[in-house]
Amino acid sequence: MATYSTNEFKSGLKIMLDGDPYAIVENEFVKPGKGQAFNRVRVRNLKSGRVIERTFKSGDSVEGADVLDIDMQYLYCDGEFWHFMNPTSFEQLAADATAVGDNARWLKENDLCQLTLWNGVPLSVLPPNFIIARITETDPGLKGDTSGGGGKPATLETGAVVRVPLFVQTDEVIKVDTRTGEYVSRVKE
Amino acid sequence: MLEVDTPALSRAAVTDPALASFAVDWHGPEPGRLWLQTSPEYAMKRLLAAGSGPIWQLAKVFRDGEAGRRHNPEFSLLEWYRPGFDHHALMDEVIDLVSELLAGRRALAEPERIRYQDAFLQHAGVDPFAADVPALRVACTRHALVPPPGMPEAQVEPWLDLLLSHVIEPRLGCGRLSFLYDYPPAQAALACIRRDETPAVGSRFELYLDGVELANGFHELGDAGEQRARFEADNRARVRAALPVMPVDEALLAALASGLPACAGVALGFDRLLMLAANAGGLDAVLAFPVDRA
């Protein structure tokens, strides 16, 4: 794997620290008037998501991390692994619960997700910004309600529970923003 | 005060291991390597020794490897020298100038002058003149500061630089001009050292505003022998750090030997001053084309 000099540091660069892959969030060159120059960086651990601060001597080199973002189609879950397919090469990959995490509740078959691979193994799975899914269960609401009210919980076919307006019923299909977990609209089939 | 203009190219260069000079190849008579100045200090001191009296210039200077939000490898220094001044008298003048330039743009509280030692005690809880490496390590840990890999941890200086740049500088110049002054002798750079003080201190100051270093000044060292010894010590430190040895400025040393009037001098980062006057977060707001677009 390539090494990167602190001169090449920029946000988004993937580097190895203490055996874990990290992405640089922010890079700042600092130098006291007449002293050692440092690169002070904020880095995000790509396994845990935790952001920490690290300091490097300017001019030093750091090992790069073999990390790659790739769009893959979600196929199915076998109870232990979530299976994805590369839509151009048809190559398949399995992501474990650590990589999928809470995002499992947004995974709908055939949707394109962004997988972050480290040494070819999925580190994290990002669902599409919006998904369209059927409501499998929600309390019957009152007729004539507008979408401005308090709403009620609804369970989606993917497993996620979102707040929907009272007029939305079981078996209806809705659009949801996975970044906020918020209801966007009803979708006509 | 007389405005002067000195060469940006020189056969000699700065020896300070923390400053990297750009080298250029010269193909005319006596061909060889020339260096771009990191500040006009040496040439201006030659003029002072020749009897120029008080002088100033706005000079383009060049520092290799320095790029970031507040660094550009090519920038402008406003540098001036006052015979008869010490560093405190010069700090007064810096306050007058910067206050006037920022008037109407920034509301500033009363300026602060804090000794290097007191700044460390106040902001990092450690005495930079007395602390050993374990004590400095504890101070860093207290501020969640992890030393960078490869830092020479057995020496005191890198720990002081780490604390200064990460803990102390961000706390200086909050809404006012802050002067850090009386540095450890090892960081005196080109300032005279007052050995009558306990501990001895280098008569150097730095000016900060909003945590940004704006200026560096000295009550200037005039002793040619001591200056030569510092240049040579710098070059020995360069050898230890696997950095190139720099050609010592013999013309400057000859000028000091002939007699530099007692004086104080300061170099103010002009682009950074513009940046702060404009309330901008980075130099790219005040440079036509920063290095990545030059």
Side-chain angles (χ1 to χ4, degrees):
Chain A
M1 194 61 206
T3 60
Y4 296 106
S5 153
T6 57
N7 297 325
E8 300 171 86
F9 278 12
K10 57 175 186 227
S11 64
L13 187 76
K14 315 286 198 301
I15 56 172
M16 292 296 297
L17 290 175
D18 309 327
D20 275 356
Y22 282 81
I24 292 180
V25 179
E26 204 180 317
N27 170 47
E28 175 103 274
F29 177 82
V30 293
K31 186 173 189 292
K34 302 199 181 293
Q36 171 72 52
F38 299 105
N39 282 69
R40 187 177 197 186
V41 296
R42 277 157 47 77
V43 285
R44 191 178 70 249
N45 186 317
L46 292 174
K47 287 165 78 178
S48 69
R50 220 160 63 88
V51 175
I52 59 169
E53 270 199 6
R54 274 299 175 87
T55 299
F56 296 91
K57 272 171 38 189
S58 292
D60 277 2
S61 291
V62 185
E63 191 193 344
D66 182 10
V67 170
L68 175 75
D69 290 333
I70 178 172
D71 286 334
M72 295 187 85
Q73 202 169 30
Y74 173 59
L75 298 178
Y76 65 95
C77 176
D78 64 13
E80 187 179 3
F81 290 99
W82 286 257
H83 296 266
F84 295 85
M85 181 180 71
N86 183 327
T88 45
S89 70
F90 305 112
E91 182 197 354
Q92 291 192 17
L93 278 176
D96 63 13
T98 315
V100 177
D102 284 347
N103 284 331
R105 66 203 164 111
W106 301 120
L107 296 183
K108 190 168 161 250
E109 283 159 27
N110 299 327
D111 274 358
L112 266 188
C113 300
Q114 191 188 78
L115 271 69
T116 301
L117 308 183
W118 176 39
N119 297 328
V121 177
L123 263 185
S124 64
V125 173
L126 200 64
N129 288 345
F130 298 99
I131 63 162
I132 290 167
R134 182 178 304 278
I135 294 173
T136 54
E137 194 189 343
T138 187
D139 289 338
L142 298 166
K143 288 269 185 229
D145 185 62
T146 64
S147 62
K152 59 181 180 177
T155 307
L156 303 182
E157 57 180 314
T158 58
V161 177
V162 296
R163 286 199 79 75
V164 299
L166 298 178
F167 60 79
V168 176
Q169 304 300 336
T170 301
D171 266 347
E172 282 193 289
V173 177
I174 61 168
K175 182 176 178 182
V176 180
D177 188 331
T178 62
R179 296 162 295 185
T180 57
E182 281 170 8
Y183 165 88
V184 178
S185 64
R186 280 196 289 192
V187 177
K188 286 207 174 72
E189 284 181 270
Chain B
M1 196 165 2
L2 182 69
E3 180 179 4
V4 298
D5 184 19
T6 54
L9 279 172
S10 170
R11 290 192 179 277
V14 66
T15 54
D16 188 328
L19 291 174
S21 303
F22 284 95
V24 290
D25 293 323
W26 158 241
H27 304 291
E30 294 180 59
R33 176 158 286 186
L34 297 179
W35 304 90
L36 285 169
Q37 65 182 354
T38 59
S39 97
E41 177 149 15
Y42 297 173
M44 290 181 84
K45 283 181 174 167
R46 287 167 66 187
L47 294 177
L48 287 158
S52 66
I55 48 175
W56 74 277
Q57 74 173 309
L58 184 61
K60 271 293 175 78
V61 299
F62 307 86
R63 297 183 183 185
D64 198 5
E66 301 192 6
R69 208 153 51 92
R70 293 163 181 170
H71 291 83
N72 197 59
E74 173 182 353
F75 62 103
S76 297
L77 275 182
L78 177 62
E79 184 148 335
W80 75 97
Y81 291 84
R82 284 286 195 187
F85 277 34
D86 68 1
H87 57 312
H88 286 284
L90 194 56
M91 280 187 249
D92 292 338
E93 190 168 59
V94 170
I95 291 172
D96 290 346
L97 178 78
V98 174
S99 303
E100 191 172 325
L101 291 174
L102 292 181
R105 302 175 188 280
R106 295 287 308 262
L108 295 177
E110 271 299 293
E112 167 195 45
R113 298 185 196 205
I114 182 166
R115 290 155 51 95
Y116 184 94
Q117 183 176 28
D118 294 330
F120 270 74
L121 286 168
Q122 185 176 323
H123 297 301
V126 68
D127 183 347
F129 289 87
D132 54 8
V133 166
L136 291 165
R137 184 190 296 276
V138 167
C140 282
T141 307
R142 204 161 48 229
H143 290 91
L145 200 50
V146 180
M151 189 178 93
E153 295 188 15
Q155 299 163 31
V156 167
E157 290 301 325
W159 290 97
L160 294 179
D161 282 345
L162 192 62
L163 284 167
L164 182 66
S165 55
H166 287 69
V167 177
I168 293 162
E169 287 190 342
R171 291 170 170 81
L172 293 176
C174 300
R176 61 179 170 181
L177 301 179
S178 287
F179 289 93
L180 194 63
Y181 71 99
D182 283 0
Y183 279 64
Q187 295 181 42
L190 303 182
C192 61
I193 293 174
R194 284 212 321 286
R195 301 191 194 283
D196 52 327
E197 294 276 317
T198 313
V201 288
S203 298
R204 170 184 165 198
F205 69 83
E206 294 237 12
L207 168 64
Y208 292 86
L209 177 58
D210 295 347
V212 178
E213 183 216 342
L214 258 189
N216 177 77
F218 303 128
H219 191 195
E220 303 289 349
L221 172 67
D223 183 319
E226 183 170 344
Q227 185 64 74
R228 182 183 293 281
R230 287 192 202 174
F231 284 159
E232 287 170 355
D234 280 350
N235 268 332
R236 285 195 297 275
R238 283 180 159 270
V239 170
R240 284 195 300 276
L243 295 169
V245 168
M246 304 306 284
V248 165
D249 193 338
E250 292 295 341
L252 169 67
L253 291 172
L256 296 183
S258 77
L260 179 78
C263 64
V266 62
L268 187 148
F270 197 71
D271 315 271
R272 285 191 183 170
L273 183 63
L274 290 180
M275 175 186 88
L276 294 172
N279 277 308
L283 287 178
D284 55 349
V286 295
L287 295 173
F289 303 112
V291 66
D292 54 334
R293 293 191 286 126

